[in-house]
Structures are given as C-alpha cells and as structure tokens.
Amino acid sequence: MSGTEKALQGVADTLREFWAHRPVRPRAGRKLGGVATGIALRYQIDPVIVRIAFVALALSGGVGLPMYLLGWLVLPEEGDEVSPLESLTNKGHSSMSQAQTVLLGILLFPAFAFTVGSGGFQVFVTLAASVACIYLLQKNRGHLAPATLAEPPPVTPVPGAPAWDPLGAAPFAWDLPEPAPRPQPPAPRPRKPRIGLATLGVATLVVAGSAIAGIWSPWFTAPHVIGLVIAVLAAGLLIGSFTGGGRGLIWLLVPLSVVGFGMTTISFDGPTDFGDLKATPKTLAEVKDKYEISVGSLMLDLRELPDSGSVKTTVESDLGEMVVHVPKNADVTFRCEASSIGELNCLDRRADGSTVQVDGTDLGADGEGGLKIDLDVLTNVGEVRVLRD
C-alpha cells in the first residue's frame, strides 16, 4: 500500500470512528436542537465557541444553517437509541416524532440549495474547512470521554469527623492530628500554541491572493473575499478550541460576519433590493430592461401597456415570490426558471422541484397579433407566476 493510500485509509478510519462515537445532543443546556452543545461535550471544548462557529458559518455563504439541520437529523438525542433520521428507517427509537423529522428534512433541502446556489467557490471552501475541522477534532480529541453538564452531588461530612475522613469510616483514629499538606512543586505554565497569529497570517494571505486573483476573475468581489476570511477565522477558532488558543479571534470574527452579511444581503444602489417591489408601467418606454430584487416579493403589472408594439424585459430574484400580470390579448414569449428550487406557474405551464424551467409562446384570447412581450422570469429559490387576467 502506497503512502497516499495509507493516508486516505487513515482519514477514512478517523471518519468512521467519528460516526461510531458521534456526539449526542443533550436534553439540558442546549439553545435549540443541542447540536453545538453535543459537539462541545463530546470533545470537551467550550460550547460558546461552537455556537459562534455555527453562526459564523451561517453568515459565510449560509453553510452553517444546513450543517446544523443535518446535525439535528443525524445526531441522536440523549437517552435515544438512534438518531431521528435512522428512526425513519426503523433502526431504533428516537424521541423526535416522524412528522418533526420529515419537517426538518424538508427544511434542509431549500437551505442547502440556497447555500450552494448563492455561494459558489466560497461554499466549497467553507464546507472543506468544516470537514477538516471535524476530522481534526476526532483525530486529536476523539479519545476523550464526553463531558457532562451535571455536577456530582457534594459529599456531606459526618459531624466531628476530621477533614481526611469526611465519611467517618475510621472513628477510632479521629484523635490523630490532621496530616500536614504535602508541598507541591509549582506547575509549569503551559505554552499555548499561537493559533490566533497563524490564523491571521492565513487570512492575510487569502486577502492578498484574492486581490491578485481579482485581476483575472470577477468572482473575487468584496463580499466573497470577506466570506473566505470568515471561513478561515471560523476554522482557526475551531482548531484553537481544542489546542488551547485563538479565542481572541472572536472579536474579529463577529463584526466581520455582520459586515459580510450586510454586504451580501443589502444593496447600496437603492432600497428595492430587500423587501417588496411593485411596478406598473403604462408606456413601452417605461418598461425597464430588468426588474430585480434579492430577497422579498416582486410584482410587475403589464396590463396597462398599449395594444401594439413590442417590449422585452427580465424579472429576477434570489429568494421570494414573483408575479407578472400580462394583458389578455398580448402575444407572450416567456421563459420561467428556478435555478435551485421553486414552484413555477407561467401561463398555465407548471413545474416544481429542483432546477426547473418552463417556456413557450402564448398568443392570448385573440390569437396572433397586437402587443408582443418577450419575458424572462428567473429565481434562485421561490415561486414564479405569470398570469393573464
């Protein structure tokens, strides 16, 4: 077996060991589903760090949300035989009902589809870093026994018993003097690894490399670069949680995550990028080449246009509902598409599911002639309707 094959075999063995002794979601001390708390207890690290890492991953291309939902489905709850997902296949009992499990599974698909559809290369890097962190956790701390949130009950000393015999097991020797404490040598101060400095160095290299790569590729915009830096900081925080260092990265990670989330969600060109957008042009000249919104509801009403001429427009959204009303007698050539997941109803042509599209030409009630409309309605995740009324 070659060195590469041995290394791959070692990685596979570590991941199998992780699955065999995966974290258990506790019933106490959790904030939502217990995924972050279960990971923290399994590897004896601070639960706050794991929660912050999930939030950072959620703001870095949205990866944290599907990862958390997946952990909720595949990690068993304390006291259960199997995970909720395994319970659906009758492998054992889970306290989560099958209806709740199916609902979580339904939520997982649009969350993952939206993440993959909107993040691109950034999502791939973040997922790879997350898997690497899980591998390192199992490799370095998989041998540890899971911690517990419950404290052992205190020992109640017997009245009159000396400190060295709090249970009063040897009353015949109570008159002996207390033993002098044994002097202990001073404990050496552990040398913490400089995870924080190393992570900042990698983040600096990412920024510099992105600036150079931006000369050839338009993908390396400010929001994407910030997302890559957030992924690096989150990975450094997770590594530092079990090597003893890097906690100071929180003070950079949190504000940077907020800035990155704002830059990817809110457009600074106008207020219509987030919320509701309604447009009712009355002349052909008023029809824009494109109507777009990031998240929200978009309604375009073309019913007040004149009965002759031609017009072409595109309606586009990342997440939400889009409705286009066309005149009763207009000749409409249309293309409706949901690139990740959605529901389409365009002039009675329907489709729903992942990566769906409908197109065609509808001549209206009067047949060919009159106003001609060329229409593209595109969404990433959402509902699309083109109605003639």
Side-chain angles (χ1 to χ4, degrees), residues 251-272:
W251 303 107
L252 180 60
L253 182 62
V254 172
L256 196 61
S257 298
V258 174
V259 172
F261 180 75
M263 293 185 69
T264 55
T265 307
I266 302 172
S267 171
F268 298 97
D269 296 331
T272 59

Side-chain angles (χ1 to χ4, degrees), residues 317-330:
S317 138
D318 288 328
L319 175 65
E321 177 189 30
M322 292 189 293
V323 180
V324 181
H325 296 276
V326 297
K328 183 178 181 179
N329 296 320

